[in-house]
Amino acid sequence: MKHEMPKLPYQEDSLQPVISKETIEYHYGKHLQAYVNNINTLIAGTEFEDKNLEEIIKTAPEGGIFNNAGQVLNHTLYFLQFTPEQKQTEPSGKLKEAIEKTFGSFEDFKKEFSATALGLFGSGWAWLSEDNEGKLYITKEANASIPLREGRKPLLCFDVWEHAYYIDYRNKRADYINGLWKIIDWKVIENRMK
Ligand code: MN
């Protein structure tokens, strides 16, 4: 199957000032496009040719096919979780319940998630994921890795590859992380739960 770019549910300049139009042009328009192009080229003529991204990620060995499939899904989940409205800044419903059950409060969850994203050495992702019993996990994942690899459902992700923030924040990863909390669409995250 041919893998496609996700359609952004907002304008390229509408996440400013948290994420600039220029960052969207590079991060979405060039980096993600390259991963999409790469995965389509790499799977041609292989056993992965007709598999969807989830199937590839769960079964491909470490290497180019896994890395590019992972990065396409990671970035799809990343770009689709944002909203320009910046209205609803806290989770509600079953997501709120699960967060409070696991982490005590939304503030404690945010603190732990931010620290995980900030503390990740090199390139990778901070993830919130859910296991089959509905338990939530915060993990740091190197490079293209995603909790789906361990059988957990990915819910929320912060990309901390430098390409995600260097145009807008230079080396200040902490400022980028603080900004992202303002543009998360918590309904999208809740809808990713089982
Ligand atoms: Mn990225």
Side-chain angles (χ1 to χ4, degrees):
M1 63 184 280
K2 190 169 186 298
H3 300 281
E4 309 274 359
M5 288 286 282
K7 294 267 179 291
L8 293 180
Y10 44 79
Q11 299 298 310
E12 291 194 340
D13 62 356
S14 66
L15 299 180
Q16 303 191 113
V18 176
I19 298 177
S20 68
K21 182 167 185 279
E22 188 182 1
T23 288
I24 295 285
E25 285 166 357
Y26 276 83
H27 194 194
Y28 170 81
K30 298 190 189 292
H31 287 277
L32 175 53
Q33 183 69 64
Y35 295 129
V36 169
N37 295 346
N38 288 343
I39 191 63
N40 284 323
T41 303
L42 287 167
I43 59 174
T46 75
E47 63 184 295
F48 300 104
E49 192 163 24
D50 297 318
K51 294 189 169 166
N52 66 28
L53 290 174
E54 284 82 358
E55 292 166 336
I56 296 174
I57 287 164
K58 283 179 185 168
T59 57
E62 294 287 332
I65 289 180
F66 168 73
N67 286 335
N68 283 281
Q71 285 295 72
V72 173
L73 185 59
N74 297 349
H75 285 89
T76 298
L77 293 168
Y78 175 80
F79 285 112
L80 296 184
Q81 73 191 351
F82 298 133
T83 173
E85 292 177 20
Q86 306 184 24
K87 278 182 191 158
Q88 192 207 0
T89 54
E90 293 200 11
S92 61
K94 61 178 177 177
L95 177 60
K96 178 182 159 79
E97 260 172 53
I99 283 176
E100 288 175 352
K101 192 175 170 195
T102 308
F103 305 103
S105 69
F106 179 57
E107 279 311 310
D108 287 333
F109 157 72
K110 265 173 77 174
K111 225 176 273 175
E112 187 179 336
F113 195 94
S114 290
T116 300
L118 190 61
L120 193 150
F121 186 78
S123 296
W125 299 77
W127 283 98
L128 177 70
S129 61
E130 180 188 29
D131 71 11
N132 286 327
E133 279 77 49
K135 188 169 172 352
L136 300 184
Y137 296 79
I138 294 173
T139 51
K140 59 176 94 170
E141 310 268 347
N143 301 316
S145 195
I146 173 170
L148 199 57
R149 196 81 162 153
E150 281 89 45
R152 295 192 309 276
K153 202 160 180 15
L155 303 178
L156 170 76
C157 58
F158 282 12
D159 185 347
V160 292
W161 284 57
E162 282 189 346
H163 69 215
Y165 60 89
Y166 214 78
I167 292 171
D168 298 333
Y169 299 90
R170 297 302 175 196
N171 59 324
K172 293 179 182 140
R173 189 192 283 185
D175 292 351
Y176 158 71
I177 291 166
N178 286 336
L180 289 186
W181 294 115
K182 299 175 190 157
I183 55 169
I184 300 296
D185 189 335
W186 291 104
K187 272 289 157 211
V188 170
I189 308 302
E190 188 182 352
N191 289 339
R192 289 174 180 169
M193 297 175 80
K194 289 182 213 313

